[in-house]
Amino acid sequence: MLASAAFCIGQAAVAKPPTSWDGLTQVQAKNVDLLYLRPGTDFSQYKDIVLAPTEVSFKKNWHKEINRGRRGIPQYSEADVRRVIDEAQGTLQNIFAKRFEETGFHIVSAPAENALRVLVGVANVNVTSPEMRSFGPNRVYSEQAGFATLVIEVRDSLSGELLGRAVDHGAAGDDFMTLRTSASNRADFEHLFDEWARISAKGFQKLIASPPQPAR
């Protein structure tokens, strides 16, 4: 899913995004950068959610770019990145499941007539201020831990029909300069994930309560 969304993410960064995408039509949204829905879809029938395994991917060659400025300091390896991705995927899954349940949805494991299949992904993760990982005087201070892009894909759980996608770019951190450590970076990205989960759950709730987008 993240690979299929890469085109739209890239286009949104350099040009006006397309008005249609895989049979979906762009609609206005207040809380995400891009929202696409299948015209004529009646979301009111859906009460349950099959939450697919979440996906997380770093910006391409992130660890190589970071390592160029870390001579004499322990380097980040592909294994380090893989470990962070595995941890982040588990955290993302738990946060979204919790927010959906708090909003009134049931998380189910099997497809059903009243269930949406929701795939949540976070792409282009860029930790801009990683911990220096040394015992010397090196310290990193910054306002943000980094940046990432949320991509959500929604399908009918039985037929597999694509019903919607959303894309949103976000920054992990606030406007206060702080010492950057692995713990502080993780906390800021988890806060970003939670904000995305809250917005998504409320957005689904609104879709269910709204009339279908007119079919064309």
Side-chain angles (χ1 to χ4, degrees), residues 37-81:
L37 299 175
R38 181 170 297 283
T41 301
D42 181 7
F43 284 93
S44 65
Q45 62 184 299
Y46 296 107
K47 309 298 181 185
D48 299 337
I49 287 177
V50 178
L51 188 58
T54 55
E55 299 181 15
V56 174
S57 66
F58 267 69
K59 176 184 175 184
K60 185 177 180 179
N61 295 324
W62 172 84
H63 73 288
K64 294 179 180 178
E65 294 176 5
I66 289 294
N67 286 340
R68 290 194 186 102
R70 299 173 68 86
R71 294 181 180 179
I73 300 173
Q75 304 278 290
Y76 284 90
S77 67
E78 292 183 4
D80 291 329
V81 175

Side-chain angles (χ1 to χ4, degrees), residues 23-39:
L24 309 178
T25 299
Q26 185 180 10
V27 299
Q28 290 186 338
K30 293 182 178 180
N31 295 319
V32 294
D33 294 331
L34 297 171
L35 177 62
Y36 294 83
L37 299 175
R38 181 170 297 283

Side-chain angles (χ1 to χ4, degrees), residues 128-129 142-147 171-176 178 180 185 188:
T128 55
S129 303
S142 71
E143 295 175 352
Q144 279 84 34
F147 304 88
D174 50 36
D175 294 329
F176 296 96
T178 186
R180 284 293 151 199
N185 286 341
D188 280 342

Side-chain angles (χ1 to χ4, degrees), residues 135-150:
F135 296 102
N138 298 299
R139 297 290 185 272
V140 176
Y141 292 84
S142 71
E143 295 175 352
Q144 279 84 34
F147 304 88
T149 301
L150 172 72

Side-chain angles (χ1 to χ4, degrees), residues 101-142:
E101 289 176 333
E102 288 176 349
T103 311
F105 294 98
H106 298 104
I107 303 297
V108 297
S109 58
E113 289 186 2
N114 65 338
L116 288 169
R117 184 179 186 274
V118 179
L119 178 56
V120 179
V122 174
N124 296 335
V125 175
N126 184 11
V127 183
T128 55
S129 303
E131 186 175 12
M132 294 301 284
R133 304 202 312 181
S134 74
F135 296 102
N138 298 299
R139 297 290 185 272
V140 176
Y141 292 84
S142 71

